[in-house]
Amino acid sequence: MNQQEKPSAAFSISWCLSYQGGAMLVAATISSYFSVFMTDTIGIPAAAASIMMFIATLWDAVNDPIMGTLADRTKSKWGRYRPYFLFFPPIFTVVAMLLFLNPNLPTMGKILYTEIFYIMWGMLYTILTMPWQSILPAHIKDDDQRNKLIQAGATCMAISFTIASSFTTQFVAFFGGSYVPLMFIYGVFCTVMYWVLFKTSTEKYIMPVEKHSVGDDLKKLLKHKELISVIIVWMMSSLGYGLMFGSSVYYIMYYYERPDLISSYMLAVSVGAIVSMMVLMGVMLKIFKGSVVKAFQVSQGITLVCYVILFFFGKTSMILLYALTFIATAFGAMEQAMINILVNDTIDYVMLKDKMTLSATISAIKGFAQKCGSTLSNSGILAVLAVTGYVAGAIGEQPESAMIGINFMRFGIPALTCVIIIVCLAVYPISKYYGEIAEMKKNM
């Protein structure tokens, strides 16, 4: 590989810190604390909050393919994907700030206000995600360079989750109990990084999109039946990762009955994710000689064992809880980087088979699958709480049914996602085309 192919430091840093830095700080705060904010601060009943999250995240999943196909068809003097880095991050920031207001309205008014801005935030998050994912294969064709950036970006994401999930309570207390200044700071950082990415990125390795409908694009992709297993992996990874963070606050506060341990427990989860991205992912790939599929399967197997033990014995010992939670996250969190490698594999596979660049559309299908997982995670947590009789704020007084539900959300369902991922990866189809893909990219 010649020197010209290596991405600049400015591109590498801005690609890692735009979406997986600033935008992820906002997303991680919402993922970990917004459900509690709705039920315990705004005062929205858990059943209503569950329906709200289901509607919002389901629509968010549906609009992903729409956004992806629009990005692939965008024509401007700046290219297909780069214009989205310029205009939308500031709007994203403002909406994130408005989302964390507690308006002085009756309950129905609060429900409508929160639902509107949550839907808006999800759509803007999608607008920032699809082009960001697509610019990497458009800017770099070498797999090693791509994968190094994906791992570095995943490390940034883990650090973002650590900051947002572990220290948000302290940050909010510093700002007098308000999330709004925090959203402003994160949003400004996000905007600056996206603007740098706009300045430093190029679209060198793309093929033209033929003049046909969005439906035709989707049909071309979905005719590859072998991709179904990949889509399921994307969905299950999102569900498991979402529950890892979204259910932890409820678990420690109500199941473990130790709200004073929220920050330290979230820190154990988050540091485990950092170790996963920075250290263990590289070790696993080295052990399995670069085979993402094998490394992915083994890491999920180790995570599964930890989850099963914690499901039955997590409350018996604090040391056991913290130690196995750290190990489970250290091996499980790398899925967020590995699924992005699968996205690039899929982009290359479709380019090989159909002679088309549908990077954003493929990223959008991955986004759709992830949002379906997020829908199950976000609304599922609240639905389980509502069905099992959860009482907001009643630490030490939750009914037994709610305690069982919280434990099942924290460790039972994530264990099932591990099993499904392992099975789907056993029939991963694209690996047999690696040789042909390498030859195609060599001739680009």
Side-chain angles (χ1 to χ4, degrees), residues 167-186:
F167 303 111
T168 291
T169 53
Q170 291 91 330
F171 294 155
V172 170
F174 177 79
F175 289 119
S178 174
Y179 287 83
V180 175
L182 200 56
M183 295 298 99
F184 174 75
I185 294 169
Y186 293 162

Side-chain angles (χ1 to χ4, degrees), residues 172-332:
V172 170
F174 177 79
F175 289 119
S178 174
Y179 287 83
V180 175
L182 200 56
M183 295 298 99
F184 174 75
I185 294 169
Y186 293 162
V188 169
F189 178 52
C190 167
T191 300
V192 171
M193 288 296 101
Y194 266 105
W195 286 351
V196 175
L197 182 60
F198 169 81
K199 183 69 175 177
T200 58
S201 59
T202 61
E203 299 178 6
K204 294 180 289 186
Y205 303 113
I206 58 175
M207 293 181 180
V209 175
E210 299 174 7
K211 294 182 179 180
H212 44 60
S213 68
V214 171
D216 289 337
D217 279 356
L218 293 175
K219 286 178 182 178
K220 277 182 175 291
L221 291 176
L222 296 178
K223 76 177 182 181
H224 300 294
K225 303 297 184 184
E226 60 268 32
L227 298 182
I228 292 175
S229 62
V230 184
I231 293 172
I232 294 173
V233 169
W234 291 337
M235 185 185 301
M236 291 298 102
S237 295
S238 176
L239 175 59
Y241 197 78
L243 289 173
M244 181 191 301
F245 286 91
S247 64
S248 289
V249 173
Y250 286 104
Y251 181 86
I252 293 297
M253 183 179 290
Y254 295 111
Y255 186 81
Y256 215 77
E257 299 175 3
R258 290 290 302 274
D260 57 304
L261 296 179
I262 290 175
S263 291
S264 64
Y265 185 72
M266 295 303 287
L267 187 62
V269 173
S270 302
V271 172
I274 293 175
V275 171
S276 181
M277 307 301 185
M278 293 185 67
V279 181
L280 285 180
M281 180 177 170
V283 171
M284 295 290 286
L285 289 174
K286 188 172 183 179
I287 290 173
F288 293 102
K289 299 179 180 178
S291 173
V292 176
V293 174
K294 290 181 180 178
F296 204 162
Q297 285 181 303
V298 172
S299 65
Q300 289 293 299
I302 295 171
T303 304
L304 170 63
V305 172
C306 293
Y307 280 156
V308 170
I309 294 172
L310 287 170
F311 179 77
F312 291 104
F313 306 108
K315 201 173 182 180
T316 60
S317 167
M318 185 182 299
I319 294 175
L320 180 70
L321 174 64
Y322 274 67
L324 289 187
T325 294
F326 177 82
I327 294 171
T329 309
F331 282 95

Side-chain angles (χ1 to χ4, degrees), residues 63 112 114 186 260 294 322 343 357-358 377 399 401 404 428:
N63 73 55
L112 291 174
T114 304
Y186 293 162
D260 57 304
K294 290 181 180 178
Y322 274 67
V343 171
T357 297
L358 294 176
S377 173
S401 55
I404 293 173
Y428 183 66

Side-chain angles (χ1 to χ4, degrees), residues 30 61 77 112 125 140 166 268 322 336 359:
I30 292 172
K77 63 180 180 181
L112 291 174
Y125 186 69
I140 305 170
S166 303
Y322 274 67
Q336 294 303 298
S359 301

